[in-house]
Amino acid sequence: MNRRLIGVAALLLLVTFYAFGTGFDFFFRFLYVLLMVTGIGFVWAWLNLHGIDVNVNREANRGQVGGYLVGQVSIVNRTKMPKSWLEVAETTGPSADTSSRGLALTREQVRTWRVQTYLARRGVYQSGEVTLVSQDPFGLFRLHRNFLDPHPYIVFPAVEKLPNLDLRFAGLPGESRTTRRWSQITTDVASIRSYVSGDSTRRIHWPYTARMNELMVKEFDMGLSAEAWMLLDMHQMSHYGVDLDEVNNTEELSVTVAASIINRLMDQSIPVGLASNGDQAHIYRPDSSEEQRGRLMETLSEARAYGQRPLADFIYSVGEHLNQLNALTVVTSSVDVQWASSLNDLRRQGVEVAVVLVDRSSFGSPADMRFPLEALTASFIPTYMVRKGDVLNDVLQTPVRGIPRSNVTSIGGCP
């Protein structure tokens, strides 16, 4: 409560006591003045809040961490009485800060201004919640009136550019100097060789046959027919620091890693799917459309590390959707090692597997990633380590120790 109002109330009680206790005219006059000032102040503040309309318009209904929420606030005085000592506070949601200003309005005046709020955290929020605060000239009363016109607003996770992302994340050997032969006919020809008994006539390369004066057949690789999957581990026991810091924790860094890799792969027109075992389990099959990009980013915006399903069990479930044309990337900060054997089973099925370990010790956890790293490198699974403060483009170029990098280029042709 306003300290000044408390003081006036105490003074009223004291003056009232002396007025009726002594009967002196001075105390009665003083009491009347205090009552008049208090009444005028309350009526002033109350009238200030009536006959006013407030509107909030946004330029978009989505943004990204690191960007700004831009819009316009309009306040209209629909009465003939001037308004003063007003404050407008627009509650935006994605940031702890609010856009507010003090103003006065003449009769039937319209005031409009732009608001710009920094987006510090991913998530789904309600914008358009406005609080109008009125104060009397004596500073005794602060009355509030809320104007609610909520609009859902999605803040996408932060995304870092990855021009040198390692090719293993895409599973596209047809675009590198290391190719994987494929028994089926695809649109990507890897090489041409001499015909041998049993080759299908559909594989014959007739122009080259005419040039070489012998039957020549085409060999194929997977090429751009490959699909990428992102598995984001959101099991509650896999993360550290979520309850200590809303931004600097393994959950947020894991989401940023997943979003950045997805964004880079989809920029290359590679179909990408997403699986997450968070508070709500999600499995989206690969697609390369812009609608899919928006769908995955919205899912990552809401993903929280409250999942109950262990990573090893979830990998087996996702494996039912994978085949030899798929590449799977697992992003986790789990120190458990049981899930590493699940990845070996997928590799035996022909699935390309890579793992990004988010180092929880860089956020203050007493446990480090030594045991899962040893299990993965012993199985020759490409593993990348991301720590707090790392530049993702640097640490996602090359697997950590124990994984050979022979003849592998980065996505987009960058060495």
Side-chain angles (χ1 to χ4, degrees):
M1 183 179 289
N2 191 332
R3 291 183 178 180
R4 188 174 298 179
L5 180 60
I6 295 176
V8 171
L11 183 59
L12 274 171
L13 291 175
L14 183 63
V15 172
T16 301
F17 174 79
Y18 278 103
F20 286 96
T22 63
F24 290 167
D25 290 343
F26 169 77
F27 288 110
F28 278 103
R29 294 191 183 97
F30 193 16
L31 176 61
Y32 298 151
V33 170
L34 288 177
L35 290 174
M36 183 179 301
V37 168
T38 304
I40 291 175
F42 179 80
V43 172
W44 185 297
W46 185 85
L47 288 175
N48 258 354
L49 294 178
H50 291 75
I52 287 182
D53 290 337
V54 178
N55 297 305
V56 179
N57 296 312
R58 291 295 176 195
E59 295 182 356
N61 62 358
R62 59 183 58 187
Q64 191 167 53
V65 170
Y68 288 87
L69 180 64
V70 180
Q72 180 175 281
V73 177
S74 299
I75 181 168
V76 183
N77 180 12
R78 299 195 179 280
T79 69
K80 296 185 180 299
M81 179 181 128
K83 310 287 184 179
S84 57
W85 283 281
L86 289 174
E87 180 182 344
V88 180
E90 198 267 322
T91 306
T92 55
S95 174
D97 299 327
T98 57
S99 304
S100 63
R101 63 167 55 194
L103 73 160
L105 297 169
T106 60
R107 62 180 186 175
E108 299 180 344
Q109 183 183 9
V110 179
R111 294 283 298 273
T112 301
W113 65 93
R114 288 173 61 85
V115 291
Q116 182 173 274
T117 305
Y118 181 72
L119 305 181
R121 290 179 286 129
R122 64 186 174 90
V124 179
Y125 303 93
Q126 297 288 336
S127 67
E129 301 178 13
V130 178
T131 299
L132 186 63
V133 181
S134 173
Q135 183 171 303
D136 66 286
F138 311 110
L140 300 178
F141 299 95
R142 282 180 62 87
L143 303 184
H144 299 74
R145 182 182 175 189
N146 294 323
F147 294 83
L148 300 178
D149 186 18
H151 303 285
Y153 190 90
I154 301 175
V155 181
F156 288 165
V159 170
E160 294 189 23
K161 294 185 179 298
L162 303 175
N164 300 320
L165 182 66
D166 196 337
L167 187 68
R168 292 180 178 88
F169 290 104
L172 291 177
E175 290 295 292
S176 72
R177 291 187 292 272
T178 57
T179 62
R180 178 164 33 152
R181 295 292 186 263
W182 189 243
S183 59
Q184 304 298 322
I185 296 177
T186 71
T187 58
D188 294 88
V189 178
S191 62
I192 298 176
R193 60 169 174 81
S194 298
Y195 176 88
V196 297
S197 179
D199 285 338
S200 171
T201 56
R202 295 176 59 193
R203 292 174 173 267
I204 297 177
H205 191 289
W206 294 109
Y208 210 77
T209 295
R211 182 184 302 176
M212 301 299 294
N213 200 27
E214 66 171 311
L215 288 176
M216 305 295 291
V217 296
K218 295 172 285 188
E219 286 193 323
F220 301 90
D221 62 38
M222 291 194 310
L224 292 175
S225 62
E227 297 175 335
W229 280 81
M230 173 62 63
L231 193 158
L232 177 62
D233 180 19
M234 287 281 113
H235 186 253
Q236 60 179 357
M237 300 303 295
S238 296
H239 289 274
Y240 180 83
V242 178
D243 297 329
L244 303 176
D245 194 310
E246 292 183 338
V247 176
N248 294 311
N249 54 61
T250 59
E251 177 191 283
E252 293 302 317
L253 183 53
S254 296
V255 171
T256 299
V257 169
S260 300
I261 294 176
I262 289 173
N263 191 64
R264 175 57 177 165
L265 295 180
M266 297 197 76
D267 283 345
Q268 301 298 311
S269 301
I270 298 171
V272 181
L274 173 66
S276 175
N277 59 339
D279 52 343
Q280 295 183 354
H282 297 281
I283 296 181
Y284 295 103
R285 297 195 64 84
D287 192 350
S288 58
S289 65
E290 285 303 310
E291 291 77 8
Q292 173 81 344
R293 190 198 300 260
R295 188 181 304 117
L296 300 189
M297 291 301 170
E298 288 181 10
T299 301
L300 293 176
S301 299
E302 302 182 68
R304 291 292 181 266
Y306 302 137
Q308 302 295 319
R309 194 170 188 181
L311 177 57
D313 181 50
F314 192 60
I315 289 175
Y316 282 118
S317 297
V318 175
E320 299 175 358
H321 301 272
L322 304 179
N323 56 50
Q324 291 177 313
L325 289 174
N326 295 153
L328 174 67
T329 299
V330 178
V331 178
T332 181
S333 58
S334 172
V335 295
D336 189 14
V337 296
Q338 295 182 359
W339 53 269
S341 60
S342 305
L343 297 180
N344 284 325
D345 293 339
L346 293 180
R347 294 181 69 201
R348 284 190 285 270
Q349 299 174 20
V351 178
E352 293 287 330
V353 177
V355 176
V356 179
L357 294 177
V358 176
D359 187 3
R360 59 197 296 144
S361 66
S362 64
F363 291 92
S365 171
D368 58 30
M369 311 305 294
R370 181 175 72 257
F371 293 118
L373 178 60
E374 290 177 353
L376 293 168
T377 54
S379 300
F380 296 99
I381 295 177
T383 306
Y384 307 77
M385 185 73 74
V386 178
R387 298 177 175 85
K388 179 181 178 181
D390 281 347
V391 177
L392 296 186
N393 187 54
D394 295 338
V395 296
L396 296 180
Q397 291 187 54
T398 310
V400 294
R401 58 182 175 81
I403 305 298
R405 183 181 162 78
S406 58
N407 296 326
V408 178
T409 60
S410 59
I411 296 176
C414 299

